[in-house]
Structures are given as C-alpha cells and as structure tokens.
Amino acid sequence: MGKYFGTSGIREIVNETLTPELALNVGKALGTYLSGGTVVVGMDTRTSGEMLKRAVISGLLSTGVDVIDIGLAPTPLTGFAIRLYGADAGVTITASHNPPEYNGIKVWQPNGMAYTPEMENELEAILESGNFRKATWNEIGSIRRADPKDEYIKKALEVVHLDSSYTVVVDSGNGAGSILSPYLQRELGNRVISLNSHPTGFFVRELEPNAKSLSALAKTVRAMKADVGIAHDGDADRIGVVDDEGNFVEYEVMLSLIAGYALRKFGKGKIVTTVDAGFALDDYVKPLGGEVIRTRVGDVAVADELARHGGVFGGEPSGTWIIPQWNLTPDGIFAGALVLEMIDRLGPLSELAKEVPRYVTLRAKIPCPNEKKARAMELIAQEALEAFDYERLIDIDGVRIENSDWWILFRPSGTEPIMRITLEAHTEEKARELMEKAEKLVRRAIERA
Ligand code: MG
C-alpha cells in the first residue's frame, strides 16, 4: 500500500485528503501510465461525485486519453462498460460503504478486474514524480457520454432466466444501485418494490448491508409477503439478502448457497474465497464438486486468482461476489439476479438456508490508528501462541490461527483506522471465550505499539 492507494484504491474524506487537485493528478497519472487509449469513468451518488469525476476526466484528457463518461453508475456497470466499449481502463468515483463525507477513486483493468497493488504502485510512482504526459493542443483527449444500462440488462437476461415471477424488495441504500438493480429485477419478470432508491448522496441507512442496517428491508419483506429482499452498498458491488420470512441471511450462509448454486449452474470446479471465510463454505460445496481456494482479503485478490487459474465462482463473506462467466468486477446487481434464479430452481431461501452447516462467527472492530497497525500486528503474531494453543498460523493476509474446530483472523482494515477480529467456532460459548481473549490481545498490542 502506498501513500494514496489502500486496499480499495484511494478512499478519503472529501476536500481534506481527497481534493479536486489530487483527483486531477490521479487522472494525469493514469493517462501517463496508459499513454493513449480510452477510459470509462463512472461515479456513485455521493455529493462530491461530479466534482471529483470532472477533475479525473480533466487530468485524463490533458494526457491525450479519450474518455467515455457514463455518469452515475454502480461499480459493476462501469466494469461491464469497460468490456462493452473495449476500453483500456475504467475509473470509479466511489467510497463504497463508507460514510457520506468520504469518496474514493478506484481503477479497473480492461478485463473488468480492479488494478492490482503492483499496478497501483506504478500509478503512485507517477503521481509522486509529478512527471505527467502533456498532450499538444491537437492531441488533447475527446470525451463522449454513454449509457450502457440497456446493454447490461440485455446481456444479463441472456445468462439468467426465471420460470416464475417473484415479489422482490430492493433496497439500494440511496446508492448507485438505485438506477439498475430494481430495473434488472423487473426485466426478469418480477414484481419489484424499491426502497431507498433516490440516488441523492444523502444516505437514509448505514451503507454496509447487515442485519441492523437492513431492518426496514426486513420489515417490508414481511409486510409485503415478498419472496426475497435484496440490498446493496453505495456502489452496488456487494449484496445483502433477506429471506422470505424477513430474516437477514448471514453472509457466510449466503456465500455457501450461491457458491453451491454456481457449481450447479456452471459445472464443478474451484470456488475462490478469502482467509476470513469460514468452514461452512468448504463443507457445503464439497459434495457439489467444489474445491475451495483461499486468497488474501479483497476483490482484487479473488479476481486475480480467478483470472490466473480459473474457477466457477469467487466471493468474500462481505457479500462481494465475482461470477467469472459474467465479469471479473464484483457485481451485487447481477448477484441479485442469480439469487432469484436459485430461488426459482431450488425453492424458498428460508428453506435453502437450513441446508448450510452453521458455526458461530463473531466479528469485532477495535479502533487502531493507521500508523500503529504494522507494529500491533507484529506483537499479535508474536504473542498469539501464548494466548491461544493453535495448530496452524497463516499469514498471507493478517494473521489467521486455526485448529480443527475454530479459527481466528486478526487483520488491520485497509480502509479505516480499525483492527478487525473475525473468528469461528462450533459453539457460541467457545466463540465468546475466544473473542474475549482475542480482544484483550489486540487491545494490549495496540497500546504497546
Ligand atoms: Mg462497494
């Protein structure tokens, strides 16, 4: 990670760290890196979106790169447009699930996957050097506006079909999903009820889809006797799901179900997930012919593994799913269509969810200043064995310690000043006991870092 780019591109508070000046220079740096070609630019609904988008575009044009401005667009639509128009890169102006005062810049490859940390480092070096390509007056880039929504829906309907019609409540969280997710569901033949779908940049609920933030969605599903509720974060690369009884389906359960469905639909093969995913996935997909591969946390690591070694499905327990037969961009909107197809083929979600083995997963966030993260992680790794009697330690991303019946992952957030603890055990009692110890270990490490 560099000075500007974290685990999800640049994500900072607007007009403090993320200024129009920085956005302009990111545009210039990307244009210099590409030295020609075309870039698709899209943005989420944040109030700072236009300001930053125009600055990025201005920088790109100044280097001689052409721009296709698709305006307000969920991240997966931008990923789709990059391939549709055969562009050389894409840029999304989004801070995903962060609070409204944040925004961000994320860069995408021609195949739809995000820039790898190595590529971001190259951008960062150009950005630091200030050595930007300057086009002469007759080589300044051109700009055109485009709307790929209809193409997206048309292509999605070629992959997903429903035999029956369902009642679907879609909660877009006032994010970019508002302009596409309910429409795709309607075109699939469903009866759609939209919640929080004014794309204003003023967010009614917390953007991270979870049981608490989706309480209105759950209530609506119950009141309307709907078959399913679908929710997205600010840029709709993620999906959260409420079942036909109005219960939020735990991420681990949903990940297992959809990975299993992908195996049924696309055939046996590899399922790629991250080190913070639990045992349920392995247990659920094995009988369906799935082999689970774990990577570093983040959609880039999952997409990279899929791009290099192939696979049927990639997903993180955060509701970020990549369906390689569709695109290498995480896509919460296409994911919503796939959930409906699964229900259409296999039955109500509340019934399906019962088939997934349940272990107890606990998550905690502990405040930790960014500058203390590295040292705190060293201390945690050093002292983990004393606190816990574990069999294996995996440090491809953070520190994961595990035994045959529990595991704990300690990992600094790449986007916020917090340390995350994720753990899983077979019983509630064991999980709580592990969490208590884990929190103590982390707090002590942060204090001493
Ligand atoms: Mg997101």
PDB file of all heavy atoms in Angstrom, residues 96-97 233 235 237-238, ligand 1:
ATOM      1  N   SER A  96     -17.702   3.308  -1.784  1.00  0.00           N
ATOM      2  CA  SER A  96     -18.348   2.054  -1.408  1.00  0.00           C
ATOM      3  C   SER A  96     -19.306   2.220  -0.224  1.00  0.00           C
ATOM      4  O   SER A  96     -20.284   2.926  -0.343  1.00  0.00           O
ATOM      5  CB  SER A  96     -17.274   1.013  -1.128  1.00  0.00           C
ATOM      6  OG  SER A  96     -17.832  -0.265  -1.053  1.00  0.00           O
ATOM      7  N   HIS A  97     -18.990   1.598   0.938  1.00  0.00           N
ATOM      8  CA  HIS A  97     -19.908   1.644   2.080  1.00  0.00           C
ATOM      9  C   HIS A  97     -19.506   2.701   3.107  1.00  0.00           C
ATOM     10  O   HIS A  97     -20.122   2.803   4.165  1.00  0.00           O
ATOM     11  CB  HIS A  97     -19.973   0.269   2.750  1.00  0.00           C
ATOM     12  CG  HIS A  97     -18.636  -0.182   3.256  1.00  0.00           C
ATOM     13  ND1 HIS A  97     -17.750  -0.871   2.473  1.00  0.00           N
ATOM     14  CD2 HIS A  97     -18.041  -0.008   4.459  1.00  0.00           C
ATOM     15  CE1 HIS A  97     -16.658  -1.111   3.189  1.00  0.00           C
ATOM     16  NE2 HIS A  97     -16.803  -0.595   4.384  1.00  0.00           N
ATOM     17  N   ASP A 233     -24.566  -1.985  -1.108  1.00  0.00           N
ATOM     18  CA  ASP A 233     -23.803  -0.888  -0.516  1.00  0.00           C
ATOM     19  C   ASP A 233     -23.833   0.289  -1.500  1.00  0.00           C
ATOM     20  O   ASP A 233     -24.584   0.261  -2.481  1.00  0.00           O
ATOM     21  CB  ASP A 233     -22.377  -1.351  -0.178  1.00  0.00           C
ATOM     22  CG  ASP A 233     -21.571  -1.692  -1.421  1.00  0.00           C
ATOM     23  OD1 ASP A 233     -22.189  -2.100  -2.427  1.00  0.00           O
ATOM     24  OD2 ASP A 233     -20.344  -1.530  -1.402  1.00  0.00           O
ATOM     25  N   ASP A 235     -21.991   1.489  -3.907  1.00  0.00           N
ATOM     26  CA  ASP A 235     -21.674   1.341  -5.331  1.00  0.00           C
ATOM     27  C   ASP A 235     -22.177   0.013  -5.896  1.00  0.00           C
ATOM     28  O   ASP A 235     -21.893  -0.320  -7.054  1.00  0.00           O
ATOM     29  CB  ASP A 235     -20.174   1.513  -5.594  1.00  0.00           C
ATOM     30  CG  ASP A 235     -19.325   0.459  -4.899  1.00  0.00           C
ATOM     31  OD1 ASP A 235     -19.747  -0.028  -3.826  1.00  0.00           O
ATOM     32  OD2 ASP A 235     -18.256   0.109  -5.420  1.00  0.00           O
ATOM     33  N   ASP A 237     -21.419  -3.055  -5.580  1.00  0.00           N
ATOM     34  CA  ASP A 237     -20.607  -4.222  -5.919  1.00  0.00           C
ATOM     35  C   ASP A 237     -20.895  -5.346  -4.913  1.00  0.00           C
ATOM     36  O   ASP A 237     -20.479  -6.470  -5.092  1.00  0.00           O
ATOM     37  CB  ASP A 237     -19.102  -3.902  -5.973  1.00  0.00           C
ATOM     38  CG  ASP A 237     -18.550  -3.373  -4.670  1.00  0.00           C
ATOM     39  OD1 ASP A 237     -19.342  -2.930  -3.806  1.00  0.00           O
ATOM     40  OD2 ASP A 237     -17.321  -3.393  -4.499  1.00  0.00           O
ATOM     41  N   ARG A 238     -21.635  -5.001  -3.848  1.00  0.00           N
ATOM     42  CA  ARG A 238     -21.963  -6.006  -2.827  1.00  0.00           C
ATOM     43  C   ARG A 238     -23.461  -6.256  -2.759  1.00  0.00           C
ATOM     44  O   ARG A 238     -24.264  -5.425  -3.170  1.00  0.00           O
ATOM     45  CB  ARG A 238     -21.478  -5.521  -1.461  1.00  0.00           C
ATOM     46  CG  ARG A 238     -19.982  -5.521  -1.334  1.00  0.00           C
ATOM     47  CD  ARG A 238     -19.541  -4.842  -0.063  1.00  0.00           C
ATOM     48  NE  ARG A 238     -20.078  -5.479   1.143  1.00  0.00           N
ATOM     49  CZ  ARG A 238     -19.846  -5.039   2.373  1.00  0.00           C
ATOM     50  NH1 ARG A 238     -19.103  -3.967   2.571  1.00  0.00           N
ATOM     51  NH2 ARG A 238     -20.366  -5.660   3.407  1.00  0.00           N
TER      52      ARG A 238
HETATM   53 MG    MG B   1     -18.679  -1.437  -2.554  1.00  0.00          MG
END
